[in-house]
């Protein structure tokens, strides 16, 4: 049977104690700010990174192409190229950053309680009138966002209680703002966790900032908040892709190795452990990975339960949900691991997986995957033929899909970019932008003020009719679109959209 109901709080066996401060359930995305782990403050600059790479190493799907290789005293440099997109940023959904995913604004942020409305249709940011955007990033459990301009400058905005915007403070920022301390770097890619951020430069270095109490910044220590960008502790091959889960992170190097760090609670780090140990007073605590650690083994499970290693895995793309991870390799195989609730791993069972496990459906000639995406409690893949597959659950009160199934509503569409928030999905395909998600929504589907606010089936966004979406990203309950702006016609259509100029204190 493909469908099962999830019971006992998302499949967790009852009777297990959790550590103090980790009170939320596995997929409760509200912020938990009641646990401070002492640690020495992270320095603002990491070690000097030694990098080496063979000329002509292949690039991962859709992110970076290595275009320059210069030998220099046995050390070879790389230069990554990010997305070729060039357009304007559009935003819709919830913009009251301190309230997202919470019943009320926390006391220290009370002054901001009434700042930021729900935008029911696409808006342009007034402050970005002259800014050409290359790419945007947020995450299914994030109330903050990044954008990278065509010059490679990094901007950030949103919730900032842990310094996840990298501006050196913990003040909320309502409209995109340049990360000043990194203005001399050129960025190609970024990722957002619940309260932390990773940003990748064109030479393969990674900066981290925000919450680090589970080691998710890879700085070698645990700190409540790192407000200024710091280089992660890593001196291997240049990095070509970064991804963030709720409280963990993943990086991929140009050789196709992946490294993970942060919270290991459900095996999402892929190191064959959930990191649990019994601390004082019978409390369960977690042995977090404080620096990037390479994932060493990939497996498949046979029908009769045998576990076999999968050799020659060269990873080309990575994606992280709230508590699960995905990888796509050079042979178009998909691996998933971490928390198995709601069937999000696609293995027809809800067991947590401690190491990357092969998803059988894509392991056939002509049926391999070309793209992967992770939502908070679900997963997506596009196969070689262009079919979009889904597994897991977006609406956790309904039945779950326990293994990859084709999304019938999108048969025949060529998916270019996809993003998933807490429960909503947006897709850029062909000339259209398509979205769907169950109630309650906050405008992240972008249907407009007078239209239905939610939809259980995929709907074309009429509000973006004749506007070409280059790239889409979604946070917990807000959506970002890079809309093409190359011709006069493009510009005229974009000018017809309303402008958003947030009120500030």
């Amino acid at each position: 049977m493909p469908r099962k109901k999830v019971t006992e709080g998302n499949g967790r066996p009852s009777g297990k104690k959790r550590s103090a401060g980790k009170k939320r359930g596995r997929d409760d995305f509200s912020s938990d700010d009641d646990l401070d782990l002492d640690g020495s403050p992270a320095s603002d600059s990491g070690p000097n990174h030694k990098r080496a790479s063979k000329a002509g190493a292949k690039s991962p799907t859709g992110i970076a192409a290595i275009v320059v290789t210069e030998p220099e005293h046995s050390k070879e440099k790389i230069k990554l190229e990010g997305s070729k997109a060039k357009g304007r940023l559009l935003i819709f959904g919830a913009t009251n950053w301190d309230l997202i995913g919470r019943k009320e604004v926390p006391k220290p942020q009370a002054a901001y309680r009434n700042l930021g409305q729900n935008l029911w249709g696409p808006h342009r940011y007034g402050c970005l009138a002259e800014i050409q955007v290359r790419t945007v990033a947020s995450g299914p459990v994030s109330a903050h966002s990044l954008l990278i301009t065509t010059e490679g400058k990094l901007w950030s905005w949103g919730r900032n209680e842990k310094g996840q915007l990298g501006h050196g403070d913990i003040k909320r920022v309502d409209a995109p703002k340049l990360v000043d301390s990194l203005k001399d770097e050129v960025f190609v890619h970024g990722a957002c966790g619940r309260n932390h951020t990773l940003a990748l430069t064109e030479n393969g270095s990674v900066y981290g900032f925000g919450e680090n109490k589970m080691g998710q910044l890879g700085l070698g220590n645990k700190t409540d908040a790192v407000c200024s960008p710091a280089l992660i502790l890593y001196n291997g091959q240049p990095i070509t892709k970064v991804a963030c889960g709720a409280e963990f992170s993943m990086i991929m190097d140009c050789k196709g190795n992946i490294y993970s760090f942060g919270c290991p609670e459900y095996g999402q780090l892929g190191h064959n452990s959930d990191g649990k140990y019994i601390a004082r007073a019978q409390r369960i605590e977690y042995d977090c990975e404080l620096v990037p650690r390479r994932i060493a083994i990939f497996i498949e499970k046979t029908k009769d339960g045998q576990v076999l290693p999968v050799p020659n895995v060269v990873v080309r793309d990575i994606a992280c949900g709230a508590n699960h991870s995905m990888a796509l390799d050079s042979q178009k195989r998909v691996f998933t691991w971490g928390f198995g609730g709601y069937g999000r791993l696609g293995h027809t069972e809800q067991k947590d997986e401690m190491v990357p496990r092969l998803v059988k459906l894509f392991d056939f000639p002509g049926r391999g995957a070309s793209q992967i995406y992770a939502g908070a409690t679900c997963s997506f893949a596009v196969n070689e033929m262009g079919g979009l597959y889904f597994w897991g659950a977006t609406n956790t009160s309904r039945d779950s899909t326990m293994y990859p199934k084709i999304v019938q509503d999108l048969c025949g569409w060529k998916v270019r970019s996809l993003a998933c928030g807490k429960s909503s999905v947006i897709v850029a395909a062909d000339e259209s932008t398509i979205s769907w998600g169950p109630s309650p929504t906050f405008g992240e589907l972008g249907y407009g003020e007078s239209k239905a606010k939610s939809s259980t089936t995929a709907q074309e966004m009429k509000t973006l009719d004749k506007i070409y979406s280059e790239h889409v990203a979604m946070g917990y309950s807000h959506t970002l679109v890079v809309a093409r702006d190359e011709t006069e016609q493009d510009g005229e259509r974009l000018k017809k959209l309303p402008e958003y100029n947030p009120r500030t204190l």
Side-chain angles (χ1 to χ4, degrees):
M1 290 286 290
R3 292 173 176 272
K4 289 185 188 174
K5 278 280 189 187
V6 178
T7 54
E8 285 244 276
N10 210 353
R12 172 189 288 287
S14 57
K16 279 191 185 174
K17 286 187 180 176
R18 295 174 60 82
S19 61
K22 292 280 285 175
K23 290 177 184 169
R24 64 171 191 279
R26 291 188 165 197
D27 292 308
D28 172 9
F29 306 131
S30 57
S31 199
D32 66 290
D33 299 326
D34 49 357
L35 173 65
D36 284 345
L37 296 173
D38 290 325
S40 56
S43 67
D44 278 0
S45 59
N48 293 322
H49 294 256
K50 287 185 179 167
R51 313 238 173 242
S53 157
K54 266 188 201 164
K58 276 191 182 171
S59 67
T61 309
I63 272 301
I66 297 172
V67 292
V68 174
T69 50
E70 294 172 10
E72 179 193 280
H73 310 303
S74 81
K75 184 176 78 171
E76 293 178 6
K77 290 182 180 178
I78 69 162
K79 186 177 178 187
L80 302 175
E81 283 187 345
S83 155
K84 289 274 189 262
K86 192 165 77 169
R88 300 289 172 190
L89 175 72
L90 304 179
I91 182 168
F92 38 104
T95 65
N96 189 341
W97 308 115
D98 297 310
L99 190 59
I100 286 169
R102 296 168 168 167
K103 289 187 171 63
E104 58 182 87
V105 171
K107 280 199 178 97
Q109 271 73 36
Y112 294 105
R113 187 173 286 126
N114 299 315
L115 283 190
Q117 68 224 66
N118 290 348
L119 306 174
W120 296 103
H123 283 63
R124 296 170 292 131
Y125 261 116
C127 63
L128 296 176
E130 302 304 316
I131 302 295
Q132 288 271 13
V133 179
R134 171 191 279 173
T135 190
V136 284
S138 191
V141 293
S142 309
H144 68 291
S145 307
L146 304 174
L147 75 80
I148 295 170
T149 67
T150 46
E151 286 86 40
K153 300 299 170 223
L154 184 72
W155 297 49
S156 64
W157 74 105
R159 188 182 293 172
N160 194 30
E161 290 155 25
K162 302 292 179 183
Q164 60 262 47
L165 301 184
H167 297 308
D169 56 33
I170 55 168
K171 290 180 194 155
R172 156 175 162 166
V173 177
D174 277 284
K177 178 182 167 187
L178 177 70
V179 180
D180 203 51
S181 64
L182 296 175
K183 65 177 186 290
D184 297 330
E185 296 277 7
V186 177
F187 288 90
V188 294
H189 182 53
C192 301
R194 190 197 312 279
N195 291 310
H196 75 289
T197 306
L198 295 182
L200 172 68
T201 70
E202 66 175 358
N203 63 8
S205 302
V206 178
Y207 286 90
F209 35 100
E211 187 174 67
N212 190 40
K213 64 186 181 189
M214 308 293 271
Q216 61 263 51
L217 295 184
L219 301 175
N221 58 17
K222 291 179 179 179
T223 357
D224 186 49
V226 176
C227 299
S228 296
L231 279 166
I232 66 171
L233 279 177
Y234 169 84
N235 63 356
Q237 299 282 2
I239 299 304
T240 55
K241 180 89 191 259
V242 296
C244 293
E247 274 108 13
F248 72 101
S249 305
M250 206 155 289
I251 56 177
M252 177 179 83
D253 72 14
C254 62
K255 300 289 190 208
N257 298 302
I258 44 178
Y259 299 77
S260 60
F261 43 103
C263 175
E265 190 175 352
Y266 316 109
Q268 66 266 46
L269 299 186
H271 302 310
N272 204 20
S273 165
D274 60 6
K276 274 195 187 99
Y277 67 94
I278 307 293
R280 286 173 304 180
Q282 295 299 296
R283 275 195 343 183
I284 288 179
E285 294 199 356
Y286 297 94
D287 190 13
C288 299
E289 294 289 344
L290 305 185
V291 294
R293 179 179 165 194
R294 189 169 77 87
I295 293 177
I297 190 165
F298 294 77
I299 64 159
E300 67 174 305
K301 290 188 183 173
T302 62
K303 280 182 180 165
D304 57 1
Q306 275 184 293
V307 177
L308 305 172
V310 178
N312 307 321
V313 176
V314 179
V315 177
R316 289 282 172 251
D317 201 6
I318 49 176
C320 296
N323 293 309
H324 76 290
S325 307
M326 304 176 71
L328 173 68
D329 83 346
S330 57
Q331 296 178 48
K332 303 178 181 172
R333 298 177 293 196
V334 176
F335 296 84
T336 59
W337 64 103
F339 177 41
Y342 299 116
R344 74 194 75 181
L345 301 183
H347 303 308
T348 69
E349 57 185 350
Q350 297 193 58
K351 216 166 102 304
D352 295 359
E353 297 289 343
M354 301 292 143
V355 294
R357 178 181 168 187
L358 184 69
V359 179
K360 287 281 201 282
L361 185 93
F362 302 103
D363 189 30
F364 292 97
R367 276 206 237 156
S370 59
Q371 302 169 49
I372 53 169
Y373 302 97
T377 56
C378 63
S379 307
F380 291 89
V382 178
N383 74 357
E384 290 174 79
M385 311 296 288
L388 177 65
Y389 284 79
F390 166 83
W391 58 102
T394 50
N395 185 352
T396 52
S397 62
R398 301 277 297 274
D399 286 352
S400 307
T401 303
M402 302 298 294
Y403 59 83
K405 281 187 156 180
I406 193 100
V407 179
Q408 295 290 352
D409 289 348
L410 273 94
C411 280
W413 292 84
K414 191 175 180 208
V415 175
R416 178 169 58 256
S417 179
L418 182 148
C420 187
K422 177 185 178 283
S423 57
S424 296
V425 184
I426 186 162
V427 178
D430 296 325
E431 300 297 311
S432 298
T433 311
I434 297 156
S435 64
W436 69 96
S439 182
T441 59
F442 303 90
E444 70 267 27
L445 301 180
Y447 296 151
E449 187 92 48
S450 56
K451 297 285 186 287
K453 303 293 189 275
S454 61
S455 171
T456 52
T457 56
Q459 305 282 338
E460 279 187 73
M461 283 176 57
K462 299 290 182 225
T463 49
L464 287 180
D465 192 32
K466 297 195 171 84
I467 290 173
Y468 184 90
S469 297
E470 298 269 13
H471 176 69
V472 293
M474 206 176 243
Y476 184 96
S477 54
H478 70 284
T479 302
L480 306 170
V481 172
V482 179
R484 185 175 65 194
D485 184 18
E486 287 175 2
T487 66
E488 266 185 51
Q489 272 183 321
D490 290 337
E492 289 304 314
R493 286 172 188 147
L494 289 168
K495 274 182 193 159
K496 289 177 184 167
L497 294 175
E499 201 173 84
Y500 176 52
N501 292 295
R503 289 188 304 125
T504 52
L505 280 185

